[in-house]
Amino acid sequence: MLRLTKIDLNGFKSFALPTAVETDYDLLGIVGPNGAGKSNVLDAIHFVFGEQKPTVLRVGRLSDIIFGGTKTHPAQNLARVSLTFEYLGDDEGAGAGDIEPELIHLPEDDEAGDYASLPFGSELGEAGEGDDGGEAGAGEGVTEPDPYGLARLQPGDVITLSRKAYREGLSDYQINGKSARLSTIDRT
């Protein structure tokens, strides 16, 4: 069983600045004012797990997930999201009735609306167009059957899944900092 402990966002949708959302317990919901990015956090989780349909990520085209810039913050050239999990073991963890809710309050920001991503002319590749996990560099030099050590996890071990999307249309997946294919992320 895995428990989500941290979400790192940088350049993803409205998150212009590096942002970390840490959870000490099981996360049940995120609370904050309108425009604070609550839905974008959920979109970020979908993004890391390989979502490629713009409508699911609530954008017109995939390039819109990359922060587009404002008067005070320049546009980003890539979006990066990392999800950090703690491995609890095969049968550890709280039952559904044992979960204590933790509310994460996002700060109210007068400029929250200014952080919305702006559309750009360049498109990220559509599904099947270079963003299918066959990205350049993925799996290069990886010949062992379990290069990420996932079969040898012990309770308390940490797993970080990451995805970067570049304006040029490329996407890069990582497990614990090592390049991975989308199919490997899906199996994790």
Side-chain angles (χ1 to χ4, degrees):
M1 176 184 232
L2 297 174
R3 181 177 68 83
L4 180 64
T5 59
K6 187 176 178 184
I7 304 170
D8 288 299
L9 306 113
N10 191 2
F12 183 83
K13 290 185 132 187
S14 61
F15 294 95
L17 303 175
T19 303
V21 178
E22 296 190 29
T23 61
D24 293 327
Y25 303 98
D26 295 324
L27 177 66
L28 294 179
I30 299 173
V31 178
N34 290 343
K38 300 177 298 290
S39 297
N40 290 346
V41 173
L42 181 59
D43 292 342
I45 294 170
H46 286 283
F47 172 72
V48 170
F49 285 109
E51 184 56 60
Q52 299 182 35
K53 295 178 185 169
T55 53
V56 173
L57 296 173
R58 300 177 315 112
V59 293
R61 56 183 184 228
L62 286 174
S63 62
D64 292 344
I65 63 166
I66 301 172
F67 179 73
T70 65
K71 293 178 185 175
T72 58
H73 293 84
Q76 303 286 331
N77 288 321
L78 69 97
R80 179 187 170 96
V81 178
S82 296
L83 304 177
T84 302
F85 298 90
E86 177 186 2
Y87 179 66
L88 301 176
D90 291 333
D91 50 17
E92 289 185 39
D98 299 331
I99 296 174
E100 293 182 28
E102 174 188 2
L103 298 178
I104 297 178
H105 298 277
L106 296 177
E108 191 162 351
D109 188 336
D110 293 336
E111 296 181 6
D114 294 338
Y115 291 132
S117 294
L118 304 174
F120 281 85
S122 62
E123 296 271 344
L124 288 177
E126 296 297 328
E129 227 180 77
D131 197 16
D132 60 353
E135 61 283 332
E140 287 181 10
V142 176
T143 56
E144 62 182 287
D146 183 26
Y148 311 104
L150 300 178
R152 300 180 297 271
L153 289 175
Q154 299 295 317
D157 285 351
V158 173
I159 303 165
T160 301
L161 305 178
S162 302
R163 182 177 178 189
K164 293 180 194 175
Y166 301 89
R167 286 221 183 270
E168 298 80 28
L170 299 176
S171 196
D172 179 38
Y173 297 87
Q174 295 182 340
I175 300 175
N176 291 340
K178 292 183 180 181
S179 289
R181 295 188 177 276
L182 175 54
S183 59
T184 306
I185 299 284
D186 285 343
R187 287 192 309 263
T188 305

